[in-house]
Amino acid sequence: MKGFLKIVKYLIPYKGEALLSILFVFLSAVFSLFSLTMVAPFLKVLFGETDLVTEPVKFQLNTESIITNFNYVLSQIIINKGKIYALIFVGAAVIVGTLFRNLFAYLSKYFLVPVRTGIVRDLRNQIYKKTLILPLGYFTEERKGDLMARMAQDVQEIEASVVRSLEMIFRDPIMIIIFLIGLFVMSYKLTLFVLILLPVSGFFIGRIGKSLRSTSLEGQRKLGLIMSVFEETIGGLRIIKAFNAENKMQTRFESTNKLYTRLVQKIFFRQQLASPLSEFLGIVVMVIVLWYGGIMVLGENSSLSASVLITYLVVFSQLINPVKSVTTAYYNILKGLASADRIDYILQAEISVKEIANPVELKEFKHSILYKNVSFRYEKEFVLKDANLVIEKGKTIALVGRSGSGKSTFVDLIPRFIDATEGEVLIDGINVRKFRLHDLRKLLGIVSQQSILFNDTFFNNIAFGTTDITEEQVITAAKVANAHEFIIETANGYYTNIGEGGGKLSGGQRQRISIARAVLKNPPILILDEATSALDTESELLVQEAIINLMKNRTSIVIAHRLSTIKHSDLIVVIDDGKIVEVGNHDELIKIKGGTYKNLHHLQMY
Ligand code: ADP
Ligand code: MG
């Protein structure tokens, strides 16, 4: 039931179309019943059983009046033109009825198309939107693969199962009700008997798919695992080859794949059983009805005429398919709901970095950034412990320390990629949590170790995130970043596509594009997280020069591996194991006996 509500939730934006679709299903069912019941007059004419009606009755919208009037028209034809014409008339009625039935069936499907496609589109948009607002810490490597699987597989699964079943959900119950009404009119006694039979057979079919949902959920989870192994492999292909680890990776992948396949097999076994079993049960039920109806026809007071029983059976046989597909739809939906659950899991994921209701206005950076007793942990262990630091406007601060000591974590607190677990980070005396995220991040320029570029032109990569930018501004920024020279040498200059992730560029070139982007944004505060660490010495020089240009007249926080690049900073902060252990300028720190900075410096010099 909860699952059903979930589907209803998806449907809400499309209630108009959904209602139209239901309306046409209804009409289609009525005409379908009409065509089928034409068997009765046809047989009656054939067997000469027709009760001739000589007087029409007042036309009303009830079965009595409709049947009597129909019989009147038919009687007139038989009397005036003969039985052959009557048969033609009945045939024509069947054709017209079937025409309308199919026309309405088409219309009902037609209005369902925007619903089906819309639901899937909405889901994709929602996942994407959520991905953009989730905090950075959410995306660990394993989660990435899983997220990709959800975006691709689970949405597909919902399309395949839930959305396809929508048609059945709308159509079949209505068909069943209309047909049952028809059956009641023909023989209520026989129909009451049928109504007892149907749930019994439904129960048997129902047993098969009970655990389908949980198996399905597990299957999708395993698929996420496969995707993440695959993605990891593509990313690490160079290392895998270099270490001759192909066989090992293959074995690892195959075992994951095997587990998944086994699960899928289990799901299929159950699914395949549903159809033959329900077909068999359908025939059994049919034979029982035939037998019971036969008794009624042959019985002493013959409560049913043979032609009505035949018509009854024809209509009843048409009832079996919708009943069957309702059960199929039901299981499909259960299967799809497993995917819906997985998607919901992301959509409901907590956004730990929230904006407050009435944010403080933040237009400019005036005097300082302050870390006050800041501690932070991703999981159990604190990776930043009781950090205190003032960063004054216009100064260049350097963070040094071993890898994993918590430098990136430290700077990530300023743009609120993460929020302090304890303590606070303040800009101009106000907690960063009190600002609008957009305002806060507008003040910040960030260049990190991996330059993040998009599969687009140089122009758009540099102008990324800004609006109304002229080519001149982009060129100026590129020049400051030492990028202009190599850009104009490419085929289309600034309008050359740089390939996925900037794959067609060298590391130094990519980094200079990132720097040009920061130059163009012109933020008062700059965060450089190992911006030159991944580069060779030659491109480092060019990038270094670009960075010096970029840092002019700004407040900068620089994380660097090579101490030579930060020697001249106003303040050097040494972080070790999440704690600030030394603070001072180069000359001061180098004098501390046995100091961490002195050691690091010593190591790098010799
Ligand atoms: P640095 O930048 O100094 O190399 P980081 O700030 O990136 O170090 O990491 C500090 C510590 O936090 C490391 O021990 C790292 O394993 C851990 N860490 C970093 N990111 C995450 C994350 N998303 N989830 C859990 N732990 C993390
Ligand atoms: Mg780091």
Side-chain angles (χ1 to χ4, degrees):
M1 200 57 210
K2 217 176 120 218
F4 187 72
L5 286 181
K6 205 171 267 168
I7 297 174
V8 172
K9 195 180 74 190
Y10 291 155
L11 280 175
I12 290 171
Y14 304 98
K15 42 183 178 312
E17 288 95 336
L19 286 176
L20 272 176
S21 180
I22 290 176
L23 172 75
F24 286 117
V25 164
F26 178 80
L27 290 173
S28 163
V30 169
F31 277 95
S32 151
L33 181 65
F34 169 77
S35 313
L36 291 173
T37 50
M38 280 299 119
V39 173
F42 190 85
L43 290 175
K44 281 185 176 166
V45 171
L46 216 53
F47 297 139
E49 281 183 12
T50 316
D51 328 310
L52 293 181
V53 180
T54 45
E55 287 294 315
V57 294
K58 189 166 173 280
F59 188 80
Q60 276 172 327
L61 260 185
N62 62 38
T63 37
E64 180 72 37
S65 149
I66 291 175
I67 291 174
T68 317
N69 279 309
F70 183 83
N71 281 340
Y72 168 74
V73 174
L74 198 60
S75 305
Q76 291 301 311
I77 295 173
I78 293 176
I79 294 164
N80 297 333
K81 301 203 165 159
K83 286 188 175 176
I84 300 290
Y85 272 95
L87 288 184
I88 292 175
F89 172 73
V90 174
V94 170
I95 288 176
V96 173
T98 310
L99 183 70
F100 277 109
R101 168 210 164 149
N102 282 292
L103 177 69
F104 291 133
Y106 171 71
L107 283 175
S108 81
K109 285 181 189 180
Y110 180 91
F111 284 105
L112 215 50
V113 169
V115 182
R116 290 172 49 163
T117 51
I119 288 176
V120 178
R121 179 199 52 204
D122 293 350
L123 274 179
R124 281 204 198 94
N125 280 345
Q126 278 173 19
I127 297 178
Y128 190 79
K129 189 173 172 193
K130 184 74 182 200
T131 311
L132 287 180
I133 51 174
L134 273 170
L136 280 184
Y138 186 86
F139 301 98
T140 55
E141 283 306 318
E142 63 177 322
R143 269 185 175 160
K144 273 185 209 160
D146 188 55
L147 215 67
M148 304 272 276
R150 288 181 197 212
M151 184 82 168
Q153 297 298 321
D154 287 320
V155 173
Q156 208 67 52
E157 180 65 37
I158 289 186
E159 144 95 282
S161 54
V162 179
V163 175
R164 294 235 170 101
S165 307
L166 270 185
E167 195 180 307
M168 299 184 204
I169 304 175
F170 284 4
R171 187 190 59 202
D172 298 328
I174 296 176
M175 287 286 214
I176 293 172
I177 291 168
I178 301 267
F179 280 23
L180 276 178
I181 292 173
L183 292 182
F184 256 107
V185 170
M186 279 183 265
S187 165
Y188 70 92
K189 213 168 140 196
L190 196 51
T191 310
L192 282 179
F193 177 69
V194 163
L195 281 184
I196 297 164
L197 265 187
L198 277 186
V200 174
S201 57
F203 172 77
F204 280 106
I205 302 170
R207 299 291 309 192
I208 321 161
K210 237 185 164 182
S211 62
L212 213 54
R213 186 173 180 182
S214 64
T215 324
S216 238
L217 196 69
E218 181 64 18
Q220 295 297 84
R221 209 180 60 77
K222 285 259 153 44
L223 189 63
L225 219 60
I226 289 185
M227 297 282 273
S228 67
V229 171
F230 189 56
E231 201 195 63
E232 200 178 69
T233 302
I234 293 174
L237 220 43
R238 178 182 295 263
I239 300 296
I240 293 171
K241 284 184 204 276
F243 280 82
N244 286 325
E246 290 97 332
N247 283 338
K248 216 169 136 196
M249 292 303 284
Q250 184 72 33
T251 318
R252 197 178 121 194
F253 182 79
E254 279 174 9
S255 76
T256 314
N257 199 8
K258 195 163 107 192
L259 285 176
Y260 172 66
T261 309
R262 241 185 245 154
L263 263 171
V264 175
Q265 279 177 352
K266 245 163 118 182
I267 297 172
F268 279 157
F269 285 147
R270 295 222 173 92
Q271 260 181 356
Q272 301 305 335
L273 193 58
S275 165
L277 193 68
S278 63
E279 168 135 7
F280 176 73
L281 285 172
I283 294 297
V284 170
V285 169
M286 190 81 186
V287 170
I288 296 175
V289 173
L290 190 67
W291 165 76
Y292 192 80
I295 291 177
M296 285 170 74
V297 173
L298 297 175
E300 299 241 311
N301 50 359
S302 185
S303 54
L304 200 65
S305 78
S307 61
V308 172
L309 176 63
I310 292 175
T311 312
Y312 190 96
L313 285 174
V314 169
V315 174
F316 182 70
S317 69
Q318 296 301 304
L319 186 65
I320 290 181
N321 265 331
V323 169
K324 227 161 72 182
S325 67
V326 158
T327 32
T328 317
Y330 178 69
Y331 291 117
N332 271 335
I333 286 173
L334 283 193
K335 198 157 151 270
L337 280 180
S339 291
D341 282 348
R342 281 167 46 84
I343 287 178
D344 250 19
Y345 186 77
I346 314 175
L347 293 182
Q348 306 299 333
E350 198 197 354
I351 298 168
S352 48
V353 176
K354 288 195 194 89
E355 277 187 349
I356 62 161
N358 300 303
V360 178
E361 190 162 338
L362 178 66
K363 278 259 167 70
E364 50 173 346
F365 175 48
K366 294 198 192 94
H367 49 85
S368 69
I369 301 170
L370 175 65
Y371 281 73
K372 212 161 113 186
N373 307 324
V374 176
S375 298
F376 178 82
R377 58 169 185 222
Y378 290 101
E379 281 139 18
K380 271 207 184 103
E381 296 268 316
F382 275 97
V383 292
L384 208 62
K385 297 158 200 160
D386 201 25
N388 285 285
L389 186 71
V390 187
I391 300 168
E392 279 167 39
K393 185 176 176 176
K395 294 276 161 57
T396 298
I397 304 285
L399 294 182
V400 300
R402 280 176 305 191
S403 128
S405 57
K407 304 179 297 292
S408 298
T409 306
F410 187 86
V411 294
D412 279 352
L413 289 162
I414 305 177
R416 289 191 71 198
F417 290 153
I418 50 178
D419 272 337
T421 318
E422 288 163 23
E424 45 186 2
V425 178
L426 308 121
I427 289 183
D428 295 337
I430 298 170
N431 193 326
V432 286
R433 294 179 190 228
K434 295 201 172 135
F435 302 124
R436 195 166 284 129
L437 282 175
H438 184 262
D439 294 351
L440 176 67
R441 289 173 186 167
K442 206 170 171 175
L443 295 186
L444 303 167
I446 298 168
V447 181
S448 53
Q449 184 169 3
Q450 289 105 9
S451 31
I452 312 290
L453 301 179
F454 299 92
N455 189 0
D456 207 334
T457 59
F458 282 113
F459 184 96
N460 286 335
N461 266 291
I462 295 174
F464 186 77
T466 47
T467 41
D468 298 331
I469 290 296
T470 64
E471 187 170 305
E472 217 176 352
Q473 287 169 298
V474 169
I475 292 175
T476 313
K479 278 181 179 160
V480 174
N482 273 343
H484 182 69
E485 300 295 321
F486 79 84
I487 293 175
I488 52 173
E489 275 170 24
T490 59
N492 299 312
Y494 280 85
Y495 299 98
T496 308
N497 190 297
I498 63 166
E500 191 173 336
K504 297 179 193 163
L505 307 175
S506 80
Q509 288 172 333
R510 282 202 289 267
Q511 206 56 305
R512 280 177 277 160
I513 300 294
S514 302
I515 293 170
R517 185 191 288 163
V519 171
L520 190 68
K521 189 181 179 191
N522 194 20
I525 302 168
L526 203 62
I527 295 171
L528 302 169
D529 190 350
E530 314 222 15
T532 58
S533 297
L535 305 178
D536 54 87
T537 328
E538 190 185 352
S539 40
E540 190 183 345
L541 274 177
L542 283 165
V543 174
Q544 198 61 47
E545 207 178 276
I547 286 179
I548 290 169
N549 289 337
L550 174 65
M551 283 171 33
K552 268 179 203 149
N553 308 319
R554 287 180 224 273
T555 311
S556 314
I557 302 161
V558 184
I559 298 174
H561 247 80
R562 269 174 283 246
L563 300 184
S564 57
T565 56
I566 49 106
K567 223 168 172 173
H568 306 291
S569 309
D570 299 303
L571 199 67
I572 297 170
V573 177
V574 185
I575 298 188
D576 193 32
D577 196 17
K579 284 200 272 281
I580 296 183
V581 288
E582 290 163 23
V583 180
N585 63 30
H586 175 79
D587 295 332
E588 288 163 8
L589 291 182
I590 208 82
K591 283 187 202 127
I592 301 174
K593 278 225 169 73
T596 316
Y597 184 80
K598 190 181 158 100
N599 277 340
L600 279 172
H601 185 70
H602 190 79
L603 275 174
Q604 291 197 4
M605 292 297 285
Y606 310 104

